[in-house]
Amino acid sequence: MTSTPDGRPVPPAYAGERVMLESWLDFHRATLALKCSGLEDDQLRLASAAPSSMTLLGLVQHMAEVERNWFQRVFAGQDAQAVFGESNLDGFALEDGRGLDEAVTVWQAEIVRGRELIAAASLDDSGRLSEQEAGHVGDGGVSLRWIMVHMIEEYARHNGHADLIRERIDGVSGA
């Protein structure tokens, strides 16, 4: 596998569907990590795109929650509690004592757990949505394929946010 000059894995130009989906998801995970690298704690906590309160640290925490939701709750049907507590269901709220190292450790653990849960699954296997999620999707279930595409979309969207936040913090921009 080749990588970009900044070390992110480049998805293959030609591959089967599963490899392609997993590669793009890994690329976007690495992109979020890159957007947070080299910054001090106060910079990671800076909501620099007013009026939004979104921060880079909050994005990492949010994606830990998103990973848990789609792979553990939806796909595997597990009753997994909120990653950062019931008062922080989306993961965006920051705590004084939790910095990037802890948030990344939790996020990476959620990624590993998700990989374990889908390792032997077919892209056609499905998970069950909550009533609220089913109302948005229009069905009570979604395939692993759907979940993987959604995860790529979720990371890509938030990486765009991260790019704007990072550029505002220190001028660093780009994919």
Side-chain angles (χ1 to χ4, degrees):
M1 177 178 285
T2 61
S3 14
T4 61
D6 54 39
R8 290 174 296 153
V10 174
Y14 301 95
E17 183 180 19
R18 177 73 177 248
V19 169
M20 190 67 74
L21 291 170
E22 289 175 348
S23 296
W24 276 105
L25 185 51
D26 286 343
F27 175 82
H28 282 292
R29 288 166 170 154
T31 299
L32 181 57
L34 177 68
K35 290 295 166 188
C36 297
S37 67
L39 294 174
E40 300 295 323
D41 187 66
D42 61 325
Q43 292 173 306
L44 293 161
R45 295 170 177 277
L46 183 61
S48 65
S52 174
S53 62
M54 190 178 294
T55 66
L56 290 171
L57 180 56
L59 281 170
V60 170
Q61 293 179 170
H62 174 67
M63 292 313 298
E65 182 59 49
V66 169
E67 292 272 354
R68 178 173 285 189
N69 182 61
W70 288 102
F71 294 117
Q72 292 181 46
R73 292 187 196 112
V74 174
F75 185 72
Q78 297 177 349
D79 184 23
Q81 299 300 310
V83 177
F84 297 105
E86 292 302 314
S87 64
N88 191 8
L89 294 177
D90 62 9
F92 282 115
L94 306 180
E95 287 185 15
D96 288 338
R98 185 183 314 113
L100 185 63
D101 289 345
E102 180 182 346
V104 166
T105 298
V106 171
W107 175 45
Q108 293 300 316
E110 294 302 322
I111 291 170
V112 168
R113 182 68 182 132
R115 284 183 178 136
E116 291 168 352
L117 291 169
I118 68 169
S122 161
L123 291 174
D124 293 322
D125 290 347
S126 63
R128 300 295 307 159
L129 296 168
S130 68
E131 282 187 41
Q132 180 182 9
E133 290 167 326
H136 297 297
V137 174
D139 196 296
V142 288
S143 68
L144 177 56
R145 178 182 292 102
W146 190 99
I147 292 169
M148 301 276 296
V149 169
H150 175 68
M151 290 296 293
I152 293 165
E153 173 273 330
E154 182 85 3
Y155 271 101
R157 184 169 59 92
H158 285 312
N159 282 337
H161 299 137
D163 196 38
L164 291 172
I165 295 168
R166 179 67 189 250
E167 186 174 8
R168 179 74 182 203
I169 290 170
D170 67 357
V172 173
S173 66

